[in-house]
Amino acid sequence: MSIIRLIILVSFVFFFFSCSQKSEIFMVAASMNNLMTDIQSENPQFKDISISYGGSISIVRRIENNKRGVGAVLLSSEESYDILDKLGYIDNEFSYTFASNSLVLIGKTNNRIKETKDIESIGKKIVIADPKIAPAGVYSLQSLNSLNQEFLDENVIFAGDVSSVVGTVKNNKNFVGIVYKTDAISHNLEVLFEFPTNSHDKILYKLGVLKNNSGISILEYVKFLKSSFVKQKLIDHGYLVE
């Protein structure tokens, strides 16, 4: 066999092998970092699953650019999930609603907050996730929609994803922030107010497996995430489960 033919054969085999690879990458909404870390720490049998975190909107954009690199997603926005579903990327046989959540205001203040309008009187800037990259920011703006627009323009600050909001409020007493209730619990933060669930869209965590792109390990992991063990972990972390 000539060297040229050998090179062509090796290249073909490499190309075929690369294309047939199944991804074990699981991209998860940043707000679920603590939960997933807790689950993984007690289940070393799933050490081959590579979990990457980010804002749900950012995750969708990454998959639109390179869906081959991701095996499954867990998003904190039904709208983000629907984008992938409408593109035909989601295998509905293995996909489901994982959990739900609520929004709270965190920080420190001497003012009592009984309803949303009381937020205008606390005299502090309000930090929320950036709605361009994280659904938490969209939900936060919806929950504040009843407040004076001028007040919002002067006092609302965008700060990346939910993790960034938590860090900002923990490190600066002059700020309050809006995060998921589960983040307040996991970081042991003081909750000043819980927003009515009808003040924003339902906060649903949707789990989706990408078509023709998930290995056996990640499918087993997705099945495991339906177990009673995981449901109890969800409850312990403050999530709502059916």
Side-chain angles (χ1 to χ4, degrees):
M1 181 181 294
S2 69
I3 294 178
I4 294 178
R5 286 185 177 180
L6 181 60
I7 292 174
I8 292 174
L9 178 61
V10 171
S11 299
F12 174 78
V13 171
F14 177 78
F15 175 78
F16 178 80
F17 179 77
S18 298
C19 291
S20 63
Q21 288 297 291
K22 302 294 187 178
S23 176
E24 306 296 355
I25 296 176
F26 188 26
M27 298 204 71
V28 177
S31 57
M32 283 205 148
N33 192 321
N34 289 328
L35 168 71
M36 299 307 295
T37 299
D38 189 10
I39 291 173
Q40 289 295 93
S41 68
E42 296 185 37
N43 293 276
Q45 70 270 31
F46 294 113
K47 65 180 184 301
D48 292 337
I49 302 299
S50 176
I51 300 180
S52 178
Y53 300 94
S56 292
I57 297 171
S58 297
I59 290 173
V60 169
R61 287 173 182 161
R62 171 177 167 176
I63 293 172
E64 286 179 313
N65 293 327
N66 181 23
K67 70 184 181 71
R68 184 175 295 280
V70 181
V73 295
L74 180 51
L75 306 175
S76 60
S77 161
E78 191 168 20
E79 183 178 356
S80 297
Y81 175 90
D82 287 344
I83 291 173
L84 297 180
D85 192 26
K86 289 176 181 177
L87 287 171
Y89 292 171
I90 299 294
D91 187 341
N92 292 312
E93 180 181 353
F94 301 102
S95 304
Y96 56 93
T97 298
F98 184 59
S100 59
N101 212 335
S102 60
L103 280 184
V104 296
L105 184 73
I106 59 169
K108 293 186 179 298
T109 179
N110 294 324
N111 300 59
R112 293 190 64 185
I113 301 175
K114 294 183 177 180
E115 51 187 330
T116 305
K117 68 178 183 180
D118 295 337
I119 295 174
E120 292 186 2
S121 64
I122 61 178
K124 295 187 177 185
K125 299 292 185 182
I126 306 166
V127 186
I128 69 172
D130 187 342
K132 292 182 179 179
I133 66 171
V138 177
Y139 299 137
S140 297
L141 287 178
Q142 291 173 347
S143 68
L144 296 172
N145 189 50
S146 62
L147 301 185
N148 180 276
Q149 187 59 49
E150 183 178 352
F151 169 82
L152 296 177
D153 292 340
E154 294 178 355
N155 292 281
V156 173
I157 300 172
F158 297 154
D161 59 23
V162 174
S163 299
S164 299
V165 176
V166 170
T168 301
V169 174
K170 288 178 72 173
N171 294 319
N172 195 320
K173 63 181 181 180
N174 294 317
F175 292 142
V176 293
I178 300 177
V179 299
Y180 296 122
K181 184 177 181 179
T182 50
D183 290 293
I185 292 173
S186 63
H187 292 280
N188 196 28
L189 299 171
E190 182 178 348
V191 173
L192 304 174
F193 177 67
E194 183 166 355
F195 291 92
T197 55
N198 63 1
S199 68
H200 53 75
D201 292 341
K202 288 184 178 180
I203 304 172
L204 299 177
Y205 289 84
K206 302 280 288 189
L207 192 154
V209 173
L210 273 63
K211 289 180 179 177
N212 305 318
N213 206 29
S214 299
I216 294 175
S217 294
I218 207 164
L219 291 178
E220 290 178 348
Y221 189 61
V222 167
K223 182 179 179 180
F224 163 73
L225 290 177
K226 285 186 172 183
S227 67
S228 57
F229 169 84
V230 173
K231 285 186 177 180
Q232 186 57 54
K233 285 293 184 184
L234 282 164
I235 294 170
D236 293 344
H237 281 260
Y239 291 94
L240 302 173
V241 295
E242 294 183 357

